[in-house]
Amino acid sequence: GETFVNRTPPQKEEETGIPAGFSINQVVPWGRGYEEYVRYFHLTGADLPLRIIDCGGGPSDFTAERHRQGLPGCSADPLYHFSREEIRRRIDETYPMVMEQAHRYKDAFLWDDFASVEDLGRRRMATMDRFLEDFEPGKAAGRYVAGQLPTLPYAADRFDIALCSHYLFLYSEQADLETHWRGIEEMLRVAPEARLFPLVTLRGERSPHLDPVLERAAARGWTATVEPVPYEFQRGANEMLRLRRPLPA
């Protein structure tokens, strides 16, 4: 994905949870925008009014923009344990490091949607600013909930669609198959449909967990399809996994 810092086991709280002794200093916030979500989850006009949960949304503005449009949904992420001021400070601390990594790995990405690395940085920062503007009132209203896969603090079928961006499959080297499967089971507990993007690893290779997940989904009687999406920034990352389970009788 676009987390350029330490392309080794992630120390991002929004992707790993909060183990004992974890602190804001291990977080590398990097928020993605609403329009990107629409494209890489291929969200249609029929999808958008539905109840959507963003699993591991971090400092994305997806939930903030949906709230602005009067649409239902929320985002769950361990990042939300921290205050607005702590998140803002960490964004400012890590931004130069992220930008240096963006320049270093520039050739691993397609630059059709961004004019330059600097343009990417400006737009990411604007996205995170929009998130921060909504964070405190949104947290009070329940739009931002401190939680993580594979244990979300919601009842079954609380949502219509569960999304997971730039965690499962992307970090296949750091998260094993069982971690992936438990996360997907949880997404399909809280919603009858789950969508995950991208399906490649940090190295740009097809995730080795994808085929086993497809096999397990078929064995459970779930519908699982790999679908092209109208988005590609990381080279080769242009497909999502859509899973659907039967609705309860």
Side-chain angles (χ1 to χ4, degrees), residues 65-82:
E65 177 59 20
R66 283 179 58 78
H67 174 67
R68 190 189 70 79
Q69 296 180 29
L71 299 172
C74 68
S75 182
D77 195 303
L79 180 68
Y80 310 148
H81 280 286
F82 299 106

Side-chain angles (χ1 to χ4, degrees), residues 11-22:
Q11 293 298 315
K12 296 176 60 181
E13 181 238 354
E14 65 265 34
E15 295 167 353
T16 61
I18 300 185
F22 197 90

Side-chain angles (χ1 to χ4, degrees), residues 196-225:
L196 299 93
F197 176 91
L199 306 183
V200 299
T201 68
L202 285 169
R203 301 178 187 274
E205 302 165 346
R206 179 184 172 97
S207 169
H209 302 322
L210 181 57
D211 286 338
V213 163
L214 293 172
E215 292 171 4
R216 291 189 183 194
R220 290 283 290 270
W222 297 343
T223 300
T225 54

Side-chain angles (χ1 to χ4, degrees), residues 38-219:
V38 170
R39 290 170 63 194
Y40 53 64
F41 289 119
H42 213 174
L43 296 169
T44 67
D47 295 327
L48 290 171
L50 299 176
R51 298 169 301 166
I52 298 177
I53 179 170
D54 183 10
C55 302
S60 163
D61 70 354
F62 179 71
T63 293
E65 177 59 20
R66 283 179 58 78
H67 174 67
R68 190 189 70 79
Q69 296 180 29
L71 299 172
C74 68
S75 182
D77 195 303
L79 180 68
Y80 310 148
H81 280 286
F82 299 106
S83 69
R84 181 187 186 280
E85 291 72 23
E86 288 174 308
I87 298 170
R88 171 85 269 173
R89 182 170 63 252
R90 189 59 179 159
I91 289 171
D92 293 339
E93 289 172 349
T94 58
Y95 181 80
M97 179 171 53
V98 174
M99 292 300 291
E100 187 276 328
Q101 294 286 305
H103 279 285
R104 179 179 301 179
Y105 295 103
K106 181 178 179 180
D107 291 344
F109 300 88
L110 300 175
W111 295 90
D112 299 332
D113 292 324
F114 301 98
S116 63
V117 171
E118 288 70 27
D119 180 49
L120 171 69
R122 285 191 296 270
R123 289 164 66 176
R124 286 286 176 266
M125 188 64 81
T127 291
M128 293 187 284
D129 286 343
R130 288 189 291 271
F131 159 77
L132 288 171
E133 288 173 6
D134 189 54
F135 180 59
E136 288 185 343
K139 189 172 181 178
R143 289 194 295 279
Y144 302 103
V145 175
Q148 73 242 31
L149 296 173
T151 306
L152 298 173
Y154 297 104
D157 292 307
R158 170 68 175 77
F159 303 95
D160 300 303
I161 302 176
L163 307 177
C164 184
S165 155
H166 295 86
Y167 169 35
L168 296 178
F169 298 121
L170 185 68
Y171 287 103
S172 291
E173 294 183 13
Q174 294 81 21
D176 63 15
L177 174 60
E178 293 308 315
T179 298
H180 279 68
W181 185 245
R182 289 195 305 271
I184 288 169
E185 283 186 316
E186 182 69 351
M187 292 174 71
L188 284 173
R189 183 186 69 82
V190 300
E193 179 174 338
R195 302 185 192 185
L196 299 93
F197 176 91
L199 306 183
V200 299
T201 68
L202 285 169
R203 301 178 187 274
E205 302 165 346
R206 179 184 172 97
S207 169
H209 302 322
L210 181 57
D211 286 338
V213 163
L214 293 172
E215 292 171 4
R216 291 189 183 194

